[in-house]
Amino acid sequence: RISVRYAVVANAPMLSDLLSAILVGALWGCTNPLLRRGSSGEDVNIVANEGDRDKSVLGSLVLNLLKFRRLAVLLPYLLNQLGSIAFYRLLANSDLTVAVPACNALALAFSVGTARVLGEKVDNPLMAILGSSLVVLGVSVCVASVGDGDSNAAAISGHTEGGREL
């Protein structure tokens, strides 16, 4: 029983990191299509046309800030920023080489799924599937290389103790 408890406790940070990465990916990915949809409203297009006339930096800033008066833009934006806060917390507690690609890959997957649920069409579905497959492959390589990272580091540095790699 002791070894089983130890194994569960030892895997607890890994499970926590996985759940955090899923949360970050969901917050980032699900909000992207919602932000796109919320910022494409009629009154936002009027504001954008007014921006063509006023090219000053201050005028552009004010026109962009006016987009946030719509709840359809503000709420997804705040959720997206909450995902960024969760991401920074994840980075503080986990391996950077796994957390960053995993969060971005999950964000892509959630973004595609949310876009489909909202009825958005994909121009070239074969390329989308190919791209998603390459992202999954890349993240798998990152995760696999981290699993071998300790033995690889010892082999590269040549440090051994009593015939064992450190």
Side-chain angles (χ1 to χ4, degrees):
R1 284 186 181 247
I2 293 172
S3 63
V4 172
R5 281 186 184 165
Y6 178 73
V8 170
V9 172
N11 288 332
M14 183 193 275
L15 179 62
S16 172
D17 292 347
L18 176 65
L19 293 175
S20 295
I22 291 171
L23 175 67
V24 169
L27 286 170
W28 280 351
C30 291
T31 55
N32 286 335
L34 293 172
L35 281 167
R36 189 170 41 248
R37 177 179 268 196
S39 65
S40 66
E42 185 176 315
D43 59 337
V44 175
N45 289 335
I46 293 170
V47 169
N49 290 337
E50 291 172 4
D52 291 340
R53 286 181 255 157
D54 185 13
K55 296 293 184 184
S56 71
V57 173
L58 181 61
S60 177
L61 178 66
V62 168
L63 292 174
N64 282 322
L65 287 175
L66 285 175
K67 292 179 183 179
F68 288 106
R69 67 184 173 177
R70 299 184 63 199
L71 191 60
V73 174
L74 182 63
L75 187 59
Y77 177 77
L78 292 175
L79 288 173
N80 191 289
Q81 295 307 302
L82 185 64
S84 295
I85 292 169
F87 179 66
Y88 283 115
R89 183 169 177 191
L90 175 64
L91 290 181
N93 300 323
S94 66
D95 188 7
L96 184 70
T97 58
V98 175
V100 172
C103 288
N104 286 314
L106 287 166
L108 174 69
F110 278 108
S111 184
V112 169
T114 303
R116 285 294 285 166
V117 168
L118 293 175
E120 293 181 15
K121 302 293 183 208
V122 177
D123 291 335
N124 192 344
L126 275 148
M127 292 302 278
I129 291 170
L130 176 64
S132 298
S133 301
L134 290 173
V135 168
V136 169
L137 178 65
V139 171
S140 300
V141 168
C142 289
V143 170
S145 68
V146 168
D148 295 337
D150 295 335
S151 62
N152 288 341
I156 291 170
S157 66
H159 288 99
T160 59
E161 181 176 298
R164 283 186 42 212
E165 293 179 354
L166 294 179

